[in-house]
Each structure stands twice: as structure tokens, then as C-alpha cells.
């Protein structure tokens, strides 16, 4: 992966920590969204799970380091919504 995406020396570590920034920032707002009376949790969680699956698939198909970072950031956003439903 490091050779095919032409990652810098610390690129793998960057791809790991970039996931946690949106994960921490989105978790509380997602709980607030799910507590709204007009939002149905089964639809909200189902849509987020579907989008997370699509983003995960795209992560496996990415051909650039920048694409990997962008997809890891998006994964952090959509995975942060899932603990709210547990």
C-alpha cells in the first residue's frame, strides 16, 4: 500500500490519525440529531451505515495518497454516528 500510493515516510500514521479528528467532532452532534423528534433512528443509522460501506469500498479502490486521506476523514464522520445507536 505504501509503495503503490507513494506515501511519505509517516504517511501511514497520518492516515490513521486523520480518522479520529472528525470522529471526535461529529459524535456529539450525531447524538443530538438522533434525539430530534423528526429523525427516525432506524433511517438515520441505516443511511449512515450504507454510506460508510460505500466509503470503505472506495478506500480499497483509491489510487492516490490524497484520496486515502480524504476517505479516511469521511469514514471518521460516518463511523462516529454508529455508537449513538448502540
Amino acid at each position: 500500500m505504501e509503495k503503490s500510493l507513494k506515501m511519505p515516510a509517516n504517511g501511514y500514521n497520518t492516515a490513521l490519525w486523520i480518522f479520529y479528528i472528525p470522529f471526535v467532532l461529529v459524535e456529539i452532534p450525531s447524538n443530538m440529531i438522533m434525539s430530534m423528534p423528526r429523525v427516525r433512528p432506524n433511517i438515520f443509522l441505516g443511511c449512515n451505515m450504507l454510506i460508510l460501506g460505500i466509503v470503505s469500498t472506495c478506500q480499497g479502490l483509491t489510487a492516490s495518497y490524497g484520496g486515502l486521506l480524504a476517505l479516511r476523514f469521511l469514514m471518521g464522520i460516518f463511523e462516529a454516528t454508529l455508537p449513538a445507536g448502540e
Side-chain angles (χ1 to χ4, degrees):
M1 180 171 79
E2 293 173 351
K3 289 180 183 178
S4 65
L5 296 180
K6 299 176 183 76
M7 288 183 172
N10 63 349
Y12 189 75
N13 290 335
T14 303
L16 290 178
W17 68 259
I18 203 165
F19 170 86
Y20 291 104
I21 294 170
F23 189 86
V24 169
L25 294 176
V26 173
E27 195 163 7
I28 292 174
S30 72
N31 284 333
M32 293 169 58
I33 289 170
M34 284 195 28
S35 67
M36 298 171 109
R38 294 188 317 178
V39 176
R40 293 177 50 193
N42 59 343
I43 302 295
F44 182 73
L45 291 172
C47 288
N48 282 320
M49 192 66 174
L50 177 69
I51 294 170
L52 180 62
I54 292 169
V55 171
S56 298
T57 301
C58 291
Q59 180 182 339
L61 300 174
T62 189
S64 69
Y65 177 59
L68 177 68
L69 294 179
L71 290 168
R72 292 288 295 172
F73 190 84
L74 288 174
M75 281 183 67
I77 291 172
F78 292 110
E79 195 163 327
T81 62
L82 298 181
E86 291 180 357

